[in-house]
Amino acid sequence: MNTTNNKSQLNLKSFLMVFLCSMPLLLILFQPISGDLSIYLQGARTILEGKQLYSDFLDLKPPAFYYLYVIIEFFANGNEIIAKLFEYLMQFFVVFILYRIIIDKFQSKQFAGISVLIYSLSYSVLGYTNSFHGESWFNLLILLILHFHMKQNSNINSIILGILFGIIVSIKFSFGIVAIPLILFDIITNEKNINQLIKKYLIIFLISISILGLSFTQLFLNNDMYADYIEVINYLKYYSSQPPLGINTIKTLIKGVSIFFADNYSLLFTSLLPISFLVIIKKQANFDSPQKKMIILNFLMLIFLLLSVVIERKLVVFHFLRIYPFLSFFIAFAIIELIETYRDIGKIDKFLRLIIVSVMIVFAILFSPLSRLINYLPTVYTKIFNEEKYDAFYTKSGDNIVLRRVYKNINNYLKQYKGKKIIVLGIGSNLINYNIRNNEISKFSQSTFYFSNANIQKWQNEIIEEFKTADVIIIQTNDNHPILNGHNFTSMEMVEQTYKLKELLYTKFEIDTTIEPFKIFKIKTY
């Protein structure tokens, strides 16, 4: 009975510790739904309404990805706070697992708490457009994989790993790269003989392939969905080839990775990363076998997941999120070393200790995510008490995505067209679609699908057919996106250059109004 009470107290203390160290994550609750998240939720809504992915709603993710958001859309149904509550709870589970993994191996609350704080700070200031993507789910799953991979080998663990790996690959195919560091780790640590390794990975492979296949069952059984998904694959072949490989692309990738670590992530945390490796090398004799293995596995994961971001060649900020748990793990080493050094100096010279504290505070405010966190804090108040200021904060003049106030104005304007068919042509503007109720909308979440250099003929024909049956057409005039489209033209410019669309637009429709970068056309009345 005492043992049970002790465990309960330990779990409660762990929970409270994680909650305190992860408090920056509470900022998630006060962030709006992004354009990308609206696409994922709209995919989930398509499923809830009994419609077909790719046929009635088009985006590029595998089917399993949208099913992850079904429970969220079921409860949220457009409510931002409920949708973001799910994200907060997910990330709380991420840091709780991170905390428990470190406690299990290093028995250090300080180390575990600092890792949680680093992750929470870094994630909370990503910006709402970079959160709740596939990488947010990935971090939860990869930490569970680490937990079970580090446990004693057994058939049960292999089955669990197969299930987790199957889910990860079903979310995003490129996440399958995590198999390489796992296999390398088992080879390096040399804990199992070759027969045990073959058996383990055969179980993992068979189960993960079964789950991946299961996630595509509906596609295989539905000819229309299958045909539409084939076009998604064709588009992805084009998309994955952009930008073309070459010296200029390599230079751009090197520059992009540098910008991410120095700016998007944190100059302070980045500067601590090499220090952490030096600390580990210096103190390697102090680590026991499980700790060394944990360090090796985290290092392999960090390297290969960073490599996966570079291989994808897009360098979108949220792609780097997949390495956040491992960065948090290693940077904590450097911070603990600095704390210990600071204590030693304090015993010798208190004045020097004061100077060091002052410098550290300045660095922490200027070069860590703290400054960005402080910048976001007023939105907690305005979200509740001043909607106008909140909307203004998430509306950037001249931007083509961060346009919260513009989207709201458009959706309010569209209320007069209840029951009409409305189609939106733009990149990043799917929030307009998501917030439309009681209207038929376009199957396309973004105009890049029919305007890009991928030249998917089926989709180009479908948007022409949508023009023929639409009552209202909304076209964005500043959404040029070379990485997605392969050219620098906006949706409006592409309509002007596409003869059939231009002819339909100017013979069947007339300009209704313009709301900042969006032109709204309505069907002519005679």
Side-chain angles (χ1 to χ4, degrees), residues 303-360:
I303 295 302
F304 279 93
L305 288 173
L306 179 58
L307 181 63
S308 73
V309 175
V310 176
I311 290 172
E312 290 176 13
R313 305 204 299 278
K314 302 302 181 286
L315 299 188
V316 185
V317 173
F318 66 81
H319 285 181
F320 288 93
L321 181 58
R322 67 190 73 167
I323 64 174
Y324 274 31
F326 310 103
L327 289 173
S328 303
F329 174 82
F330 285 112
I331 291 168
F333 274 105
I335 292 178
I336 289 172
E337 180 69 10
L338 289 175
I339 290 172
E340 291 176 356
T341 303
Y342 163 75
R343 286 172 179 167
D344 292 339
I345 290 173
K347 294 174 184 177
I348 302 169
D349 191 328
K350 290 185 178 181
F351 179 71
L352 181 59
R353 182 175 179 173
L354 181 63
I355 293 175
I356 292 173
V357 170
S358 302
V359 172
M360 287 175 67

Side-chain angles (χ1 to χ4, degrees), residues 67-86:
Y67 279 92
L68 291 174
Y69 291 88
V70 165
I71 187 81
I72 300 170
E73 176 60 16
F74 177 80
F75 284 105
N77 192 27
N79 185 293
E80 286 185 326
I81 294 178
I82 294 176
K84 300 301 280 186
L85 175 61
F86 276 94

Side-chain angles (χ1 to χ4, degrees), residues 406 409-414 416-417 472-477 492 505 509-523:
V406 177
N409 288 341
I410 291 174
N411 281 116
N412 286 331
Y413 186 81
L414 293 175
Q416 64 183 296
Y417 294 112
V472 178
I473 296 176
I474 304 167
I475 308 176
Q476 193 167 358
T477 62
M492 189 68 232
L505 182 67
F509 297 87
E510 61 185 359
I511 189 73
D512 184 10
T513 188
T514 298
I515 300 180
E516 299 199 37
F518 293 89
K519 290 186 176 182
I520 300 178
F521 296 83
K522 65 179 180 180
I523 196 165

Side-chain angles (χ1 to χ4, degrees), residues 18-67:
V18 173
F19 176 75
L20 290 173
C21 293
S22 67
M23 284 188 73
L25 289 177
L26 290 170
L27 186 64
I28 292 171
L29 298 172
F30 301 93
Q31 293 175 341
I33 291 175
S34 68
D36 284 334
L37 179 54
S38 75
I39 293 174
Y40 310 151
L41 293 173
Q42 192 174 325
R45 183 186 295 170
T46 301
I47 296 168
L48 288 169
E49 291 176 349
K51 297 178 182 177
Q52 296 179 350
L53 294 173
Y54 314 113
S55 299
D56 299 313
F57 161 81
L58 184 69
D59 191 46
L60 303 177
K61 300 292 189 292
F65 184 85
Y66 303 104
Y67 279 92

Side-chain angles (χ1 to χ4, degrees), residues 228-254:
D228 284 309
Y229 191 72
I230 291 299
E231 300 297 356
V232 170
I233 296 297
N234 292 332
Y235 179 89
L236 286 172
K237 288 177 183 176
Y238 162 77
Y239 179 68
S240 62
S241 70
Q242 299 298 312
L245 282 173
I247 293 297
N248 288 335
T249 299
I250 293 172
K251 289 179 180 177
T252 301
L253 289 173
I254 293 171

Side-chain angles (χ1 to χ4, degrees), residues 171-358:
I171 293 173
K172 190 172 185 178
F173 302 139
S174 61
F175 287 163
I177 197 172
V178 299
I180 299 175
L182 291 175
I183 294 170
L184 281 177
F185 169 78
D186 281 340
I187 294 171
I188 292 170
T189 55
N190 198 27
E191 275 207 339
K192 307 170 186 68
N193 61 43
I194 189 67
N195 290 330
Q196 287 178 315
L197 280 180
I198 291 174
K199 179 183 177 183
K200 172 183 177 179
Y201 284 103
L202 184 60
I203 293 172
I204 292 172
F205 175 77
L206 290 175
I207 292 176
S208 59
I209 285 295
S210 298
I211 289 174
L212 180 61
L214 188 64
S215 71
F216 281 88
T217 301
Q218 190 179 7
L219 281 180
F220 298 142
L221 297 176
N222 188 308
N223 291 333
D224 291 336
M225 285 182 68
Y226 181 78
D228 284 309
Y229 191 72
I230 291 299
E231 300 297 356
V232 170
I233 296 297
N234 292 332
Y235 179 89
L236 286 172
K237 288 177 183 176
Y238 162 77
Y239 179 68
S240 62
S241 70
Q242 299 298 312
L245 282 173
I247 293 297
N248 288 335
T249 299
I250 293 172
K251 289 179 180 177
T252 301
L253 289 173
I254 293 171
K255 182 180 178 181
V257 172
S258 302
I259 290 172
F260 165 76
F261 278 104
D263 186 18
N264 301 116
Y265 186 57
S266 162
L267 185 60
L268 176 62
F269 287 169
T270 300
S271 64
L272 290 174
L273 194 57
I275 296 175
S276 69
F277 295 136
L278 291 174
V279 170
I280 290 168
I281 293 169
K282 174 186 171 184
K283 295 189 173 183
Q284 58 181 314
N286 298 337
F287 300 126
D288 60 27
S289 179
Q291 291 171 347
K292 287 179 180 178
K293 289 175 184 176
M294 187 70 188
I295 292 169
I296 291 170
L297 184 54
N298 275 272
F299 181 74
L300 290 172
M301 283 289 178
L302 176 61
I303 295 302
F304 279 93
L305 288 173
L306 179 58
L307 181 63
S308 73
V309 175
V310 176
I311 290 172
E312 290 176 13
R313 305 204 299 278
K314 302 302 181 286
L315 299 188
V316 185
V317 173
F318 66 81
H319 285 181
F320 288 93
L321 181 58
R322 67 190 73 167
I323 64 174
Y324 274 31
F326 310 103
L327 289 173
S328 303
F329 174 82
F330 285 112
I331 291 168
F333 274 105
I335 292 178
I336 289 172
E337 180 69 10
L338 289 175
I339 290 172
E340 291 176 356
T341 303
Y342 163 75
R343 286 172 179 167
D344 292 339
I345 290 173
K347 294 174 184 177
I348 302 169
D349 191 328
K350 290 185 178 181
F351 179 71
L352 181 59
R353 182 175 179 173
L354 181 63
I355 293 175
I356 292 173
V357 170
S358 302

